[in-house]
Amino acid sequence: MQRYDSAIDMTGSDRDEDELPEHTKEPTVAGPIGPHMHHKRPLSPVAASSSSGPPSRSASPHSVHSPHSAIHSTDSPPNSAGHHDNTTSPHDLGAPLDLSLLSLPPVAVIPTRLSPEALHDLHEQLSAANADLVTTFPSDGQTADIHRARFFLGQINTPKRAAFELRKLGVHTEEVEAGTSREAVWQDDGLITVVKVEWWEKCLEKDGVQSINPYIVYVGRLTEGPPGGDGKKRALPSAEELVKEREMKRRRILERAQGDAGGSDSRVKVIPGKPWTKPNTTTSVDEEFGVKRPKLMRKTTSEYEREKGLANQVQPRYVREQLKLAVHRPHPLHCPNDAFINVLKTIKLSRTLQLDDIGIRAYSTAISAIQAYPYELLSSSTLLTLPGCDGKTSALFYEWYNSSPDDVSQRKIQAVEEIEQSEEYRVMKEFYQIWGVGAKTAREFYLDKGWRSLDDVIEFGWNQLSRVQQIGLKFYDEINFIPIPRPEVARIGALVGKVADELRPGYEYIITGGYRRGKEQSGDVDMVLCHRDEEQTRGGFLTMLVTRLEEEGWVTHTLYLGRGGGFGTQRVGEPPRSHGLAHGEGAEELEKAMVMWQEQDPASPFYKEEGGRNVSPHRRVDIILSPPSCVGTAVLGWTGGTTYERDLRRWVEKRWGWKFDSGGVWERGSGRRVELGEWAEGEDLVQCERRVIEGLGLEYFKPELRNTG
DNA sequence: CGGCAATTGT
DNA sequence: CGTAT
DNA sequence: GCCG
């Protein structure tokens, strides 16, 4: 059965239950994992009074009732209704309105949870009541004079949330201890009060300023902003023990990682920086080296000198013939221009985080072309000769090379430095590395939720995460920072193969992915499992296999288990929907399992124990179960790299009008299956893949030459 | 100026 | 919108 | 961002 750790060690959810919608738990293989729900935060008297305040929180401000009539009615005497405190007493005798907020300190509204309409109405009502209003906007919450505001209205229920929302607005506070005198609050300019919107609704309802006491959620004292930062947006020192524990765990992991694999912590140092996303302004680089006239770029004397040697170099075929698709050229794992490629990869990642699919495609193309280039690039004009590289790439190279002609390790590009220093990039990247969080979600975490660290995600968002995201966070460091050495990848593959074979004899497997392309270390293990008897690849065998691996402890969590969930219930044969045509006979679907894995054998060299406890690093393992009829395409499709795969599909479409996928090749017009990739008698999986490649009219490049970056 | 790989599961 | 290559 |  599924095993669970007794507790997740990254917690932090001691917030009140009503703060966030309950996460919808999936009734799946693994039960909900989650932090222990602590309720240890002592409620301050201020907080306590808020929680005993009026119950209603349903009405939005604008829906209460005609606000303007309340504000503009002038026929009743100046408001002096029931005040037990001096906080809002309208000493301005000349105030013509019942509802005058003249005596309030500068007011701002916390936009969170308020509809745009509600927010708008609230602003109008408050300014109609002569409040000294500091406007806020839900988009970014930033306003120049937000720091003037001392009184915040918001749909906020807990002090913790209040402090968090203030921080999002750039207002850094710490909660004021119980017993601060009420009188002090208005006098002391360093104090911030957060009051529920209900207070204002009540004022409107009663046509007069009401006591704020029952509605106060939070009183905080202004503190210094983040050290070194620009004074906005920075994590509170919250849930400190948990953060510290995480740190310790991370350090342990990294120490072990170095021991294991010689891996190093590649995380960028935290340097506060300016925003990295710029408006659509053309950079000076663009103007100087714009794509319009790249060929006119002046060569410096030194570039010219360096290039003289070029004439003697035999240019590779893909350059001579301008072969633009990665399937037509060899891409070794390492190449002479890896340092420059890494710069391009940073830009590509920033495009990913900006949801710029086209930028991703463009940089991928350039990267793979350079990866295929066998000589060290010495001049930007050489780059112009590579397919997929043009003015922009060339300009980037020019800046990069000349920033330090004599020391490769010192070369840099200003725009890339700025990307790497920007908080937005660093934080979104950190989120993006959570398994189950893509670019869209990473942006949402950063821009909409206002989170700035994994600890924020854990503390404020844990219950909003999907189950796989929770698992992704739980194993964040292991997944991202402890690479899997080749021998361990081989060991995992062999073990899966062995267990499969024990269940039913006759299975064969091949490890695909980066391992097969020759990587010394892998981020995960990908493998294609196959049986010559098609029946053995159906009927839920993969579920059976994963279940067995769970029982034996190897599989600790199942992130995804597709197809064949029910025994024999699966009738494959839906055509690729994009073309609305039926598959021909023998339509195939690949079953896939994505799991977390942990070494269980104490005798294994990859097993690690501490205090009698198995602390072997968890590994990501993908198992693809293929019928014999398409195992060739499965192996080809799961070996990659990404750009190779994309270009493979483009080639198949362009050359043959077929559609390629890992489950087979199809005629686009008729939807009929093209018989390629069937596992032939006496043939191994590598030979089978080769027949597919050659059947598609392509030169066979071994996997080690498909490293398209 | 249009196109940029392609699939499935939740 | 997430995942894989 | 590059290509046809």
Side-chain angles (χ1 to χ4, degrees), chain A residues 504 534-544 564-570 591:
Chain A
R504 296 177 191 173
E534 192 202 310
E535 290 305 304
Q536 308 299 313
T537 65
R538 300 185 177 282
F541 177 75
L542 191 57
T543 302
M544 195 195 270
F567 282 69
T569 58
Q570 228 50 47
E591 290 188 36

Side-chain angles (χ1 to χ4, degrees), chain A residues 299-319:
Chain A
K299 272 181 236 167
T300 62
T301 311
S302 59
E303 271 206 307
Y304 179 76
E305 292 298 322
R306 290 195 302 271
E307 237 175 57
K308 287 201 295 188
L310 190 66
N312 302 325
Q313 280 172 345
V314 178
Q315 290 303 297
R317 187 160 78 99
Y318 83 95
V319 176

Side-chain angles (χ1 to χ4, degrees), chain A residues 152-366:
Chain A
F152 288 80
L153 270 178
Q155 212 162 86
I156 306 295
N157 300 305
T158 64
K160 190 169 174 176
R161 188 76 199 190
F164 176 64
E165 296 298 342
L166 289 175
R167 176 158 64 81
K168 271 168 76 174
L169 294 168
V171 179
H172 297 260
T173 60
E174 60 190 8
E175 186 164 8
V176 167
E177 287 309 314
T180 306
S181 87
R182 305 263 69 250
E183 285 71 22
V185 171
W186 267 196
Q187 313 307 326
D188 186 337
D189 189 50
L191 291 181
I192 299 283
T193 311
V194 178
V195 172
K196 296 187 183 199
V197 172
E198 289 165 25
W199 167 76
W200 179 243
E201 294 169 358
K202 203 70 172 180
C203 293
L204 293 174
E205 194 183 313
K206 292 279 166 74
D207 235 1
V209 178
Q210 305 294 303
S211 165
I212 65 168
N213 265 348
Y215 300 93
I216 294 176
V217 181
Y218 176 80
V219 179
R221 179 175 301 282
L222 286 171
T223 60
E224 288 294 310
D230 55 4
K232 60 175 197 182
K233 300 180 181 179
R234 173 62 180 262
L236 290 168
S238 49
E240 282 176 32
E241 317 88 355
L242 300 165
V243 172
K244 215 178 294 169
E245 190 184 335
R246 268 175 49 73
E247 271 311 311
M248 285 174 55
K249 188 188 176 197
R250 176 171 300 189
R251 214 169 298 130
R252 275 208 336 266
I253 286 170
L254 290 172
E255 280 163 13
R256 214 164 56 212
Q258 269 133 35
D260 272 358
S264 64
D265 184 358
S266 60
R267 286 170 298 163
V268 187
K269 297 250 178 348
V270 175
I271 309 159
K274 27 189 160 162
W276 123 83
T277 314
K278 287 193 217 155
N280 291 329
T281 53
T282 319
T283 67
S284 59
V285 167
D286 286 334
E287 278 152 15
E288 196 176 342
F289 303 102
V291 292
K292 295 286 183 286
R293 45 187 193 90
K295 314 288 180 192
L296 299 181
M297 195 189 310
R298 262 202 346 270
K299 272 181 236 167
T300 62
T301 311
S302 59
E303 271 206 307
Y304 179 76
E305 292 298 322
R306 290 195 302 271
E307 237 175 57
K308 287 201 295 188
L310 190 66
N312 302 325
Q313 280 172 345
V314 178
Q315 290 303 297
R317 187 160 78 99
Y318 83 95
V319 176
R320 293 199 317 271
E321 301 181 19
Q322 288 293 295
L323 303 177
K324 298 177 202 324
L325 297 181
V327 288
H328 290 132
R329 61 201 186 205
H331 305 74
L333 178 56
H334 301 292
C335 79
N337 300 294
D338 280 343
F340 181 59
I341 285 176
N342 285 334
V343 170
L344 298 182
K345 283 181 175 176
T346 298
I347 302 177
K348 179 181 156 186
L349 177 57
S350 79
R351 299 308 179 91
T352 300
L353 296 173
Q354 294 170 67
L355 310 180
D356 174 8
D357 288 348
I358 299 316
I360 295 168
R361 176 74 242 205
Y363 278 94
S364 300
T365 304

Side-chain angles (χ1 to χ4, degrees), chain A residues 34-47:
Chain A
H36 290 158
M37 293 299 170
H38 306 289
H39 289 281
K40 60 189 176 193
R41 177 178 54 75
L43 289 175
S44 71
V46 173

Side-chain angles (χ1 to χ4, degrees), chain A residues 389-411:
Chain A
C389 298
D390 205 332
K392 179 68 180 183
T393 321
S394 170
L396 290 171
F397 180 83
Y398 184 91
E399 181 186 343
W400 179 76
Y401 187 94
N402 291 113
S403 67
S404 173
D406 302 323
D407 183 355
V408 185
S409 69
Q410 294 300 307
R411 291 177 190 166

Side-chain angles (χ1 to χ4, degrees), chain A residues 654-676:
Chain A
K654 194 177 71 159
R655 172 65 181 80
W656 303 101
W658 296 339
K659 185 204 295 285
F660 178 93
D661 80 70
S662 57
V665 179
W666 316 90
E667 266 181 14
R668 289 201 183 246
S670 67
R672 278 206 309 271
R673 188 179 169 77
V674 179
E675 288 304 335
L676 275 168

Side-chain angles (χ1 to χ4, degrees), chain A residues 228-230 270-276 418 421-424 426:
Chain A
D230 55 4
V270 175
I271 309 159
K274 27 189 160 162
W276 123 83
E418 281 166 20
Q421 283 173 16
S422 78
E423 182 190 52
E424 189 173 331
R426 290 196 319 267

